[in-house]
Amino acid sequence: MKDLRQVLQGEIIVGDGAMGTYLYQLGYPVGISYESLNISEPERIRDIHREYVSAGARLLETNTFTANREKLSKHGMEKQVKAINRAAARLAREAAAGQAYVVGALGSIRAGKRENIETEQVKRDYTEQLSALLEEGVDGIMFETFYDMEEMKLAVQIVRALDDRIPIICQFAVEESHRTKDGLRLLDAFRLLREEGADIVGLNCRMGPNGLMRAMEEVTGRLALPMSAFPNAGLPDYVDGRYNFVATADYMAESAVRFAELGARIIGGCCGTTPEHIQAIAQALADAEIPVLPTLAEEEAQAQAVPPLEIGELDAAPVSGQGKAASGPSLVDTVRERHTVIVELDPPRDLDIAKFMLGAQALKDAGADALTLADNSLAVTRMSNLALGYLALDKVGIRPLIHIACRDRNLIGTQSHMMGLHALGIDHVLAVTGDPARFGDLPDSSSVYDLTSFEIIRMIKQLNAGLAFSGKVLKQRANFVVGAAFNPNVKHLNKAIERLERKIEAGADYIMTQPVYDAALIERIAEGTKHLKVPVFLGIMPLASGRNAEYLHNEVPGIHLSDEVRERMKGLEGESGRREGVAVAKELLDVAMKHFNGIYFMTPFMFYEMTAELTEHVWQKAERPTAPLYRHT
């Protein structure tokens, strides 16, 4: 076969899909070494490679993502590094049968580690793994799901010391900042890697197609290197003890065409993708046009003409303190008497809380009854919602409603956390399962799940009875008002309501739903839940853009948009997108207020002006004006 780099000058190559999550779907449990199957069950690994080739993949990754000494030592297999990697390369080569390139896949050694591993040890580990793969004659090396530029650069240097001709593909896993973990812009990181000897650069994992596209847009047309894109199949859902990814094959195929337009020359899939997704991608790309990459001269001209993209820093601003919220009726008491508004505002992912506090103040001024804070939603590390909840209470005077996820704390930590909330006077909480840790920004961290959402509700209510989780009698009783989450965006609403009834039996005092974007569904929810003895807060999240709408519909578990809403938002970005998003939300809100006193707004991307305006809309409809009015213009 031709050199991979030569082919990419004029063609798009379809990559394969996931190995680890596909093995999980086939019944292999989380926690085992999937790479050890190269030796213990070679037929299974070979068959999966063959499935991807049959689906249209022309590039296969060896099953060696964590087949380094550091990772294999967790399973007592550190002495089998060479055997596992060589077996993986042979299996992929046999499955490719001359129809696909085989690249040796390596993941980060340092990612997720609590302590840094010495650089010399990292060098030895990469050298050992790379040597085994190169000895088997792979067609290229792929470094994937790297967060840190320094580690990626080190890995590339080791390859070039071992083989100065083999093609190297370097893929970062980035987050919303579109920067590496050490703060480099992608464009700068990619250019530095080219200087070290990388031939193809790109992105994979951490996000679905929408997130990767946004990151690639900052590089498109400004880099004289072919790029690769291997997105996840959306975000994972965790239902009844199983992980499920929501992005359909059709959606992945549509996204693949867009990746090609952005300049990607290798397009495949990461977590959650299967041969079905790859087949759809291959079919969609069969007639795709191939944009011409800029030359080095054009890249240099672009660099001189376009100023560097920088992330704007929030100006710290003082917040006018209002003192602690006065004690009074609970949200459950309030919602039985009048319309009641809860607004969600995400804690920041860094140490700057200025914008969060401004948002909390704006929502308080708009008349929100409570500010709710998620608990590291999507398993992405954010500032403690307990700390920010108390600051919102103390400095702004708005009632905090804290989410409590089962994912991060064992029984000891959960009771300790609840006791701390009690001491701070925070008595409203929402019990949730929590998104799996392995799909967040620290994939090597553990998902605890000592408790289910049903059990955590019962345990919290046990504190109200003056009993610790252990059954020990406490000197005081807590007074927690406990909410439960409800996803109505399902095929069988009646079954979801039956599950909800069990949460109420466990002790839930109120319900908060996932966002709903269909007026007819709102009416079905009202009819289906009217027999419940606890209030329901109907969830509405205004859309920020057309791409935001498609992302939510195709990539986020539990969220479905109507065709009408998607069509209205199509192509809208920026201010026009947010304006139409608020308009859509107001229409849904008008329907919701006829059936529900409880309204739950979710703030997208910290655009708190949007949810402040919607809060004002509630009071206008309810003929309960507040001032000042917030308008999204």
Side-chain angles (χ1 to χ4, degrees):
M1 298 179 73
K2 292 182 181 178
D3 184 281
L4 181 60
R5 288 162 293 206
Q6 293 178 327
V7 175
L8 290 176
Q9 292 304 309
E11 296 182 32
I12 293 174
I13 291 180
V14 177
D16 59 6
M19 177 63 76
T21 55
Y22 191 35
L23 284 165
Y24 172 77
Q25 291 179 36
L26 295 174
Y28 293 84
V30 172
I32 69 168
S33 170
Y34 291 140
E35 287 80 358
S36 68
L37 300 177
N38 295 329
I39 294 175
S40 62
E41 296 190 39
E43 297 83 5
R44 172 66 80 180
I45 303 303
R46 188 188 298 109
D47 287 347
I48 291 175
H49 286 315
R50 284 173 174 163
E51 286 186 58
Y52 280 123
V53 173
S54 296
R58 291 183 55 209
L59 182 142
L60 296 179
E61 300 174 48
T62 57
N63 180 33
T64 52
F65 177 63
T66 60
N68 57 69
R69 181 170 291 269
E70 175 66 29
K71 304 292 185 179
L72 289 175
S73 66
K74 297 179 181 179
H75 308 280
M77 300 178 183
E78 62 272 17
K79 295 182 179 180
Q80 299 185 58
V81 173
K82 186 171 184 178
I84 288 173
N85 280 273
R86 295 196 68 161
R90 288 195 297 270
L91 292 170
R93 180 73 71 197
E94 291 166 8
Q99 300 178 59
Y101 292 93
V102 172
V103 295
L106 296 89
S108 166
I109 292 174
R110 284 178 167 157
K113 303 302 294 181
R114 291 178 177 84
E115 298 179 1
N116 288 334
I117 305 172
E118 293 293 333
T119 299
E120 290 305 312
Q121 181 61 51
V122 174
K123 288 180 179 178
R124 287 193 293 271
D125 289 351
Y126 278 133
T127 300
E128 181 180 31
Q129 185 179 6
L130 284 164
S131 297
L133 292 168
L134 291 170
E135 287 168 7
E136 287 296 328
V138 292
D139 300 310
I141 296 295
M142 176 185 282
F143 295 110
E144 56 182 352
T145 323
F146 274 63
Y147 296 87
D148 183 87
M149 176 62 190
E150 288 305 311
E151 186 182 10
M152 180 77 89
K153 187 166 69 171
L154 177 63
V156 173
Q157 290 170 350
I158 293 170
V159 177
R160 284 293 170 242
L162 295 171
D163 188 323
D164 62 357
R165 301 184 65 182
I166 193 165
I168 301 176
I169 305 166
C170 294
Q171 295 186 150
F172 283 111
V174 296
E175 299 172 358
E176 293 171 3
S177 68
H178 301 164
R179 295 194 178 212
T180 65
K181 189 176 180 180
D182 34 10
L184 278 176
R185 296 181 310 153
L186 278 178
L187 185 60
D188 294 331
F190 288 160
R191 287 171 175 167
L192 287 172
L193 288 173
R194 176 176 59 199
E195 294 175 8
E196 297 294 337
D199 301 290
I200 301 107
V201 293
L203 301 166
N204 78 291
C205 206
R206 285 292 298 120
M207 297 184 285
N210 182 70
L212 262 62
M213 283 181 202
R214 289 184 178 277
M216 284 186 66
E217 285 169 352
E218 296 184 2
V219 181
T220 296
R222 305 174 66 191
L223 183 70
L225 270 183
M227 289 192 288
S228 59
F230 284 70
N232 289 351
L235 297 172
D237 199 5
Y238 187 72
V239 179
D240 296 331
R242 296 288 299 175
Y243 301 124
N244 298 294
F245 286 80
V246 298
T248 65
D250 288 343
Y251 176 67
M252 296 294 286
E254 293 170 6
S255 301
V257 174
R258 178 59 180 147
F259 280 124
E261 294 170 350
L262 291 172
R265 294 293 176 87
I266 303 177
I267 302 171
C270 201
C271 297
T273 54
T274 67
E276 181 185 3
H277 292 97
I278 299 306
Q279 183 175 27
I281 288 171
Q283 292 172 350
L285 293 175
D287 300 317
E289 294 186 10
I290 305 172
V292 177
L293 295 176
T295 64
L296 275 172
E298 290 169 338
E299 179 188 317
E300 291 173 3
Q302 280 274 0
Q304 295 176 359
V306 182
L309 294 172
E310 295 294 341
I311 299 175
E313 297 181 356
L314 294 174
D315 294 324
V319 178
S320 57
Q322 301 288 327
K324 290 185 181 181
S327 59
S330 72
L331 292 175
V332 173
D333 295 328
T334 303
V335 78
R336 296 191 191 281
E337 300 295 327
R338 62 166 174 84
H339 283 96
T340 302
V341 176
I342 298 170
V343 185
E344 183 171 322
L345 196 66
D346 282 337
R349 295 170 63 177
D350 57 29
L351 301 180
D352 186 352
I353 67 170
K355 189 169 185 179
F356 175 88
M357 296 304 289
L358 288 172
Q361 186 70 59
L363 293 166
K364 166 71 183 303
D365 294 342
D369 291 289
L371 189 75
T372 185
L373 297 86
D375 191 8
N376 298 321
S377 62
L378 304 180
V380 172
T381 310
R382 293 180 179 271
M383 187 173 287
S384 161
N385 60 0
L386 181 151
L388 281 177
Y390 180 74
L391 286 174
L393 173 64
D394 185 54
K395 303 298 184 184
V396 177
I398 189 169
R399 166 175 275 157
L401 191 162
I402 305 299
H403 297 202
I404 309 294
C406 302
R407 174 196 57 238
D408 299 328
R409 306 173 192 89
N410 61 13
L411 282 163
I412 299 169
T414 301
Q415 178 174 324
S416 175
H417 191 59
M418 299 308 304
M419 294 168 76
L421 288 169
H422 172 76
L424 293 173
I426 299 175
D427 57 5
H428 282 62
V429 297
L430 176 72
V432 297
T433 300
D435 304 291
R438 66 169 301 187
F439 300 112
D441 61 339
L442 293 172
D444 276 3
S445 59
S446 300
S447 293
V448 180
Y449 296 130
D450 271 6
L451 297 162
T452 66
S453 57
F454 298 92
E455 291 166 339
I456 198 171
I457 292 169
R458 283 194 290 268
M459 288 295 196
I460 295 172
K461 296 308 284 279
Q462 186 171 308
L463 295 176
N464 288 357
L467 296 174
F469 288 6
S470 66
K472 176 185 175 182
V473 176
L474 301 171
K475 292 182 179 179
Q476 291 185 9
R477 295 187 178 193
N479 191 35
F480 289 112
V481 182
V482 186
F486 173 45
N487 175 21
N489 299 296
V490 293
K491 184 176 182 180
H492 301 292
L493 184 60
N494 60 324
K495 292 183 179 179
I497 293 173
E498 289 174 3
R499 179 181 174 86
L500 185 59
E501 289 169 346
R502 297 200 300 273
K503 291 186 178 182
I504 295 170
E505 290 173 3
D509 298 302
Y510 63 96
I511 306 301
M512 294 168 64
T513 82
Q514 289 272 30
V516 180
Y517 293 95
D518 188 325
L521 178 56
I522 292 174
E523 294 179 342
R524 288 175 55 212
I525 296 167
E527 181 64 25
T529 60
K530 66 181 181 181
H531 67 288
L532 300 180
K533 297 179 180 180
V534 303
V536 175
F537 286 80
L538 197 285
I540 294 177
M541 181 165 65
L543 300 165
S545 66
R547 289 203 293 187
N548 175 226
E550 290 304 306
Y551 164 70
L552 292 172
H553 179 75
N554 289 289
E555 298 188 37
V556 179
I559 297 182
H560 296 280
L561 277 62
S562 67
D563 291 341
E564 178 189 358
V565 168
R566 292 170 65 196
E567 187 61 32
R568 286 176 61 177
M569 295 299 300
K570 188 174 182 180
L572 297 179
E573 300 292 331
E575 184 61 35
S576 61
R578 294 193 292 275
R579 188 162 46 246
E580 185 64 21
V582 169
V584 169
K586 285 181 178 179
E587 294 169 15
L588 295 167
L589 185 54
D590 290 345
V591 176
M593 288 181 66
K594 296 176 183 177
H595 302 284
F596 298 95
N597 268 6
I599 301 297
Y600 166 32
F601 294 129
M602 284 147 270
T603 304
F605 309 112
M606 287 299 287
F607 290 128
Y608 54 79
E609 300 90 347
M610 299 174 75
T611 42
E613 181 177 343
L614 291 172
T615 300
E616 290 289 355
H617 185 75
V618 172
W619 304 137
Q620 290 175 349
K621 294 287 291 185
E623 298 183 350
R624 179 189 169 224
T626 59
L629 295 180
Y630 278 79
R631 287 288 172 267
H632 190 69
T633 58

